[in-house]
Amino acid sequence: MKLYYATGTCSLSPHIVAIEAGIALELERVDIRKIPRVTETGADYAQVNPNLYVPALALDDGTILLEGTAIVQYLADLAPASGLAPPPGSLARVQLQSWLGFIATELHKVFSPWLFHPEYGTQAQDVARSRLAARLDYVERQLAAGGPYLLGERYSIADAYLYTILSWSAHTKVDLSAFPQVRRLIERVGERPAVQQALREEECRY
Ligand SMILES: N[C@@H](CCC(=O)N[C@@H](CS)C(=O)NCC(=O)O)C(=O)O
């Protein structure tokens, strides 16, 4: 199985999940700063993902899986004993999917692309930061009521995804100081050996 990734991006989330699940991954880096988009082996990434973004997971039979939230569920389901995702069909699984959808649409896609492109202007960036603050307040309240993880006592793929997205906060000047439960979750996830290993493998320094 091969993960197409770019250092410091959302592809860290499936990378962490694969390590947590004990799944061996081949890694192929994509330079997302350039068009045409090529991988480190010189392959045309448009042939892998016509949308050009990472992550993409190439299965051994040639199937390409796209979208981070689908990829992490696929990986977790390959290793059910890891407990990284509740069983498909359970209410807990739907609650997990609810968090994955929330992180993807309410957090990830508010950070990116808006806060990574100064050319969009300070007004757009201020709106993005204030929207993120409102959504993080929601996460904070959920964690205060039933943490320490998004699903309660159990660490899951949603926490790895949340960690990945919020690791962009310092660089993008998103202030987490009002969200102690969120910061605690991020610290706790960041200390996990799988997370440290994924960061090392991507040569990433947060
Ligand atoms: N909907 C996609 C979005 C992935 C995404 O935003 N990837 C970013 C990195 S975090 C990227 O590759 N950006 C480069 C581009 O869009 O060209 C997913 O959730 O997997």
Side-chain angles (χ1 to χ4, degrees), residues 9-10 32 37 52-55 67-68 108-109 112 161 168:
T9 74
C10 57
I32 61 167
R37 200 148 286 182
L52 299 183
Y53 49 69
V54 292
E67 299 303 320
H108 182 174
K109 284 294 139 187
S112 159
Y161 188 22
W168 303 335

Side-chain angles (χ1 to χ4, degrees), residues 1 16-24 71-88 93 154-157:
M1 231 182 284
I16 292 170
V17 169
I19 296 170
E20 300 272 15
I23 295 167
I71 293 171
V72 289
Q73 291 183 76
Y74 176 77
L75 292 169
D77 287 343
L78 288 179
S82 66
L84 289 163
R93 179 57 168 258
R154 179 201 270 196
Y155 169 74
S156 76
I157 55 179

Side-chain angles (χ1 to χ4, degrees), residues 136-156:
L136 289 170
D137 185 56
Y138 168 75
V139 179
E140 178 72 15
R141 282 184 282 113
Q142 295 295 309
L143 290 175
Y149 297 112
L150 293 172
L151 293 187
E153 293 296 326
R154 179 201 270 196
Y155 169 74
S156 76

